[in-house]
């Protein structure tokens, strides 16, 4: 009978522990980064959308004003480029969704400052996740801004 023994040196154990620790740290950092990415805000129910809107500080009706499915163009024109700049300022990017069908839920905002009327909040949803949105006014002197309410 032949018996072989392997001697592991301290340096080998230290290197193995460092590799395992580095892998663990990478997985934790990746998980945290993924949790805070725009793809992780799940708004696949009206209840979740209402909670999200309320957390932003907006007051709306208890149900959306309109809902529609649109296809994000494969090629952005100037209007889409400008709109995507607003999205990028909030941490979103519609470039990743070119050619995809998305749902847009629109809500009438009841508490816009200075009693401004005809202000709407739109949420852009892809596969149940928030990928963009805006608050806008469709009047002659209208505007468009990101989702967060200005303090």
């Amino acid at each position: 009978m032949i018996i072989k023994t392997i001697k592991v040196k301290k340096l080998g154990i230290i290197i193995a522990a460092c590799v395992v620790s580095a892998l663990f740290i990478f997985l934790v950092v990746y998980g945290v980064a993924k949790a805070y990415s725009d793809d992780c805000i799940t708004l696949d129910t009206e209840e979740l959308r209402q909670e999200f809107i309320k957390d932003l500080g907006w007051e709306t009706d208890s149900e959306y004003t309109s809902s529609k499915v649109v296809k994000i163009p494969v090629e952005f024109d100037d209007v889409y480029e400008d709109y995507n700049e607003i999205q990028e300022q909030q941490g979103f990017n519609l470039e990743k969704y070119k050619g995809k069908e998305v749902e847009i839920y629109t809500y009438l905002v009841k508490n816009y400052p200075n009693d401004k009327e005809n202000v709407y909040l739109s949420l852009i949803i892809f596969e149940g996740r928030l990928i963009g949105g805006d608050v806008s006014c469709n009047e002659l002197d209208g505007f468009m801004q990101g989702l967060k309410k200005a303090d």
Side-chain angles (χ1 to χ4, degrees):
M1 173 182 338
I2 300 174
I3 299 175
K4 285 197 164 207
T5 59
I6 299 173
K7 252 187 175 175
V8 179
K9 296 182 180 181
K10 285 183 181 178
L11 182 60
I13 293 173
I14 292 172
I15 291 172
C18 287
V19 168
V20 170
S21 295
L23 181 60
F24 177 76
I25 290 170
F26 170 78
L27 291 173
V28 168
V29 169
Y30 177 78
V32 169
K34 187 70 175 159
Y36 286 100
S37 73
D38 61 304
D39 289 344
C40 288
I41 300 174
T42 301
L43 299 178
D44 57 352
T45 66
E46 186 60 30
E47 182 179 340
L48 289 172
R49 290 189 291 272
Q50 287 292 330
E51 184 178 322
F52 178 75
I53 292 167
K54 186 176 181 180
D55 288 347
L56 291 173
W58 298 114
E59 293 175 15
T60 63
D61 287 330
S62 60
E63 196 167 309
Y64 53 83
T65 305
S66 70
S67 170
K68 60 186 172 184
V69 175
V70 298
K71 186 173 185 176
I72 295 183
V74 175
E75 295 293 325
F76 284 0
D77 60 12
D78 290 341
V79 173
Y80 257 94
E81 290 290 345
D82 291 344
Y83 186 72
N84 199 42
E85 282 183 32
I86 293 171
Q87 301 313 309
E88 288 173 340
Q89 291 169 3
Q90 342 181 61
F92 301 115
N93 187 352
L94 297 179
E95 292 270 343
K96 298 186 266 184
Y97 303 97
K98 286 182 171 181
K100 307 282 187 196
E101 286 190 349
V102 299
E103 295 171 280
I104 300 178
Y105 294 90
T106 305
Y107 301 83
L108 179 64
V109 174
K110 296 178 173 183
N111 67 329
Y112 197 83
N114 302 323
D115 296 322
K116 188 86 167 163
E117 294 182 10
N118 296 315
V119 176
Y120 293 90
L121 181 145
S122 296
L123 300 174
I124 305 171
I125 310 290
F126 178 72
E127 295 181 349
R129 298 179 316 247
L130 180 68
I131 63 164
D134 65 82
V135 174
S136 62
C137 177
N138 60 7
E139 293 179 359
L140 189 56
D141 62 341
F143 62 87
M144 184 175 288
Q145 68 177 57
L147 290 169
K148 291 187 179 174
K149 186 175 179 185
D151 294 326

